[in-house]
Amino acid sequence: MGSAGERYLWRSRVGPLALGTLSEGQAAMPQHEDLSPTKVAPSFRVSRRNFLRAAGAGAAGTALAAGTQLGAVPFGASRAAAQAAWDQEADIVVVGSGAAAFTAAVMAAELGSKVIMLEKAETIGGTTGKSGGGYWIPNNPHMREAGLTDPREDALRYMVKYSYRQYYNPDDPEGRFGAFPNDFALIEAMYDNASPAVEKLAEIGALQSFMSLTWDKKPTPDYMEHYPENKAPRGRLISVKPPEGATGGAGPEMIRQLSEAAEKRQVPVLTGHRVERVVVNDAGAVVGVEAATADGATVAVRGRKAVIFGSGDFTHDKWMVLHYQRGPMFGGCAVPTNEGDFVRIAGAVGAKMGNMTGAFHGQVVLEQALEFSSTPSDIFFITGDTSILVNRFGVRVVNEKRNYNDRTQAHFNWDATRGEWTNEVLFWIYDQRTADFWGGGYPIPAAGVEAPYLITGQTLAELSDKIDARLAEYTGRTGGVRLDSSFASNLDATVARFNAFARDGKDPDFLRGDFAYDREWPTSPPSNPDFKDAEWPSPDQPNITMYPIRSEGPYYAIAVGGGTLTTNGGPVINPKAQVVNTQDEPIAGLYGAGTCIASPSASAYWGGGSTLGPAVTFGYIAALNAHEESVKEV
């Protein structure tokens, strides 16, 4: 499999698409060598080498010069004032090149604004380029074509309950179901604009979509499809539709389509340009930016009407993760350039911050997270019907088939008596049945493929000893996590209890398999097309999510830690996608969308595509409103 780093990647065969599903031969971002202002990004190209280059342990992109601070600069002290000219000018400057940024750029250009895009990395696409290319869009046209209704009030109830569970009040006299005014307004804006956004993108040839289906050909269910408020639990996930006969990852295809739409509208994309400061006029309005280039130069770029940020989260700023995020997190699959630049830049002009403890979570392979700055992928599904997750005491702690965002919350359980994160590291235990049936579906390696993080044992006792020995190698980077002395005996009891549940078809501990999501997302038919020695589901399997773990080895374990797809806190926006200050007033000329802002969903994952859905929607909203802005004085 090549170098040590390359051994971690192999072809991934997964079910429904979700953010971050990365396969061999699929790049994190396309390569773009020409940085001249007159050029736009070429067609999105895909290679494993590009992924390793962009998402490995190397530099994150255009580094800050010594002594440089991210923030804001008055026009009088700016480079543009000093040289009596801007290096580049446009009506709207868009920062970033993922789904939010490209949607904003394409729509603003379509409306007639002159647009220029600045991308920190040497390649375009951001974390969208690593994604599954699905977006959660309520009341979308594909639902309507299929005869699925999505009433507005019911959708709002579902979204508020999931996002703000502790405040949810169905009888709220204010009609906001318990949400704060701006939080509710953002949810309303999401419902009202999401479908028009994808319809318009399709109409202008910028992004084609189709309804995502489960392995058994049903519209995909939401992640809390069982909430009684959710009257339209299926069909809100739609995905980018590739051209006839095209192959490759859906996230790269999404960027390819959007970047080609930008190119057709003569939108230049300047890669290797890290925006470090916004430029403000005497009235405090944002009138442009200053960006550092890869060769150490600073360029001043005028945004006559506005600047829209779609620049990504702060997963790779360790200080921010430690001080803002809750619980132990080891890493994430966001691209390495996601260092929270917009938090510091917007903070310098008085932006209000929100949801800083929030993230779209996903479990990560512990050893990959310790080695790579950006993991190849998060663990989106605990595949296999003979798979369980146990903590350092050898007991199950969660329904293994729940969605990645909610499942990861199990890691943040603080034991007040022991004074520890009891589930800081969990252990995915599975047998040969799962290895055979689901081998090749990340992170379970295919037969014959070396995966350095995989731990094996012929007995559960041997496996326990090897897990603890592996943990001993990492004590300096995990807070000293080791197995409790009761682990081996408890694991025996846990397996016996699980096997009884599997034979009965019911999991009274965690209700595994009771929900449509459990059965239709992570529990898909075996991903190994070459293994045909047994039928699935087995005739003696009353619950397709569970099957008795074998009494003979070998057994396998993968150490799993908490992580993120992306963090989702940052500057707060209003329903027009304008960044607001601490008085909730818009900061003139400054907009945001995507994961660089305080998420309109808080930290709820309404359904598959809940990162890209709001990114596209609020990128669209930002473009509509920025286009209508007046030219700012300088």
Side-chain angles (χ1 to χ4, degrees), residues 107-389:
M107 283 305 308
E110 176 69 18
L111 292 169
S113 286
K114 181 180 179 182
V115 181
I116 188 169
M117 297 179 70
L118 303 176
E119 167 55 49
K120 177 179 175 180
E122 298 294 333
T123 50
I124 65 169
T127 305
T128 302
K130 289 181 69 175
S131 78
Y135 22 106
W136 192 86
I137 303 294
N139 195 35
N140 65 69
H142 306 288
M143 293 179 72
R144 299 195 298 271
E145 290 169 9
L148 300 174
T149 59
D150 194 355
R152 184 177 190 271
E153 182 171 323
D154 292 322
L156 297 179
R157 287 177 184 271
Y158 168 66
M159 295 159 77
V160 170
K161 181 175 180 177
Y162 202 174
S163 295
Y164 302 105
R165 187 66 180 85
Q166 69 273 36
Y167 289 108
Y168 178 66
N169 177 9
D171 302 315
D172 177 10
E174 300 294 329
R176 300 193 302 267
F177 311 120
F180 284 88
N182 191 61
D183 297 330
F184 186 68
L186 290 175
I187 287 177
E188 287 185 302
M190 175 69 192
Y191 180 91
D192 293 339
N193 290 277
S195 186
V198 297
E199 291 177 69
K200 186 63 177 179
L201 289 169
E203 176 189 325
I204 65 176
L207 184 66
Q208 303 302 324
S209 308
F210 71 100
M211 180 182 285
S212 295
L213 302 177
T214 63
W215 61 270
D216 54 354
K217 308 303 181 185
K218 298 176 184 176
T220 55
D222 288 336
Y223 288 0
M224 287 293 163
E225 91 284 347
H226 55 280
Y227 272 8
E229 291 82 3
N230 194 352
K231 306 300 184 185
R234 293 181 181 273
R236 291 172 173 145
L237 172 60
I238 60 178
S239 296
V240 60
K241 183 179 181 180
E244 188 78 25
T247 60
E253 174 62 22
M254 186 177 192
I255 295 300
R256 186 195 66 79
Q257 290 189 23
L258 288 170
S259 65
E260 286 189 359
E263 182 173 4
K264 289 177 181 177
R265 289 159 181 79
Q266 298 183 317
V267 176
V269 184
L270 279 62
T271 58
H273 282 62
R274 181 178 191 173
V275 172
E276 297 178 345
R277 290 169 294 276
V278 291
V279 180
V280 296
N281 65 12
D282 291 343
V286 173
V287 297
V289 301
E290 292 184 351
T293 65
D295 59 6
T298 297
V299 297
V301 185
R302 171 88 156 106
R304 289 185 286 263
K305 294 180 179 180
V307 176
I308 302 173
F309 276 79
S311 52
D313 70 309
F314 59 83
T315 285
H316 298 297
D317 185 300
K318 292 184 178 180
W319 189 94
M320 293 176 74
V321 169
L322 175 64
H323 289 86
Y324 294 137
Q325 294 286 290
R326 63 187 183 88
M329 289 200 292
F330 290 97
C333 68
V335 291
T337 47
N338 287 17
E339 299 171 297
D341 292 358
F342 192 39
V343 172
R344 294 182 172 89
I345 292 170
V349 291
K352 183 178 186 177
M353 298 295 158
N355 209 50
M356 294 298 285
T357 62
F360 295 125
H361 287 104
Q363 291 171 308
V364 293
V365 173
L366 177 66
E367 292 170 70
Q368 286 188 336
L370 295 176
E371 178 161 347
F372 296 121
S373 64
S374 175
T375 57
S377 183
D378 287 356
I379 300 173
F380 290 93
F381 308 117
I382 302 296
T383 51
D385 50 19
T386 54
S387 291
I388 57 174
L389 282 173

Side-chain angles (χ1 to χ4, degrees), residues 334-467:
V335 291
T337 47
N338 287 17
E339 299 171 297
D341 292 358
F342 192 39
V343 172
R344 294 182 172 89
I345 292 170
V349 291
K352 183 178 186 177
M353 298 295 158
N355 209 50
M356 294 298 285
T357 62
F360 295 125
H361 287 104
Q363 291 171 308
V364 293
V365 173
L366 177 66
E367 292 170 70
Q368 286 188 336
L370 295 176
E371 178 161 347
F372 296 121
S373 64
S374 175
T375 57
S377 183
D378 287 356
I379 300 173
F380 290 93
F381 308 117
I382 302 296
T383 51
D385 50 19
T386 54
S387 291
I388 57 174
L389 282 173
V390 300
N391 66 10
R392 75 182 195 90
F393 297 96
V395 298
R396 291 175 68 212
V397 297
V398 70
N399 176 350
E400 295 87 351
K401 298 301 182 181
R402 295 313 294 161
N403 72 79
Y404 36 90
N405 183 56
D406 292 327
R407 190 179 69 239
T408 304
Q409 309 310 309
H411 288 275
F412 309 141
N413 178 60
W414 177 257
D415 187 319
T417 300
R418 291 188 172 88
E420 67 179 24
W421 302 103
T422 306
N423 305 330
E424 180 176 349
V425 179
L426 297 178
F427 307 95
W428 179 352
I429 310 292
Y430 61 93
D431 67 5
Q432 193 62 43
R433 173 186 169 92
T434 287
D436 287 338
F437 274 32
W438 287 274
Y442 181 84
I444 299 176
V449 174
E450 179 185 357
Y453 53 75
L454 189 65
I455 305 167
T456 62
Q458 288 302 313
T459 66
L460 290 175
E462 181 185 0
L463 186 70
S464 301
D465 289 341
K466 288 188 174 182
I467 291 172

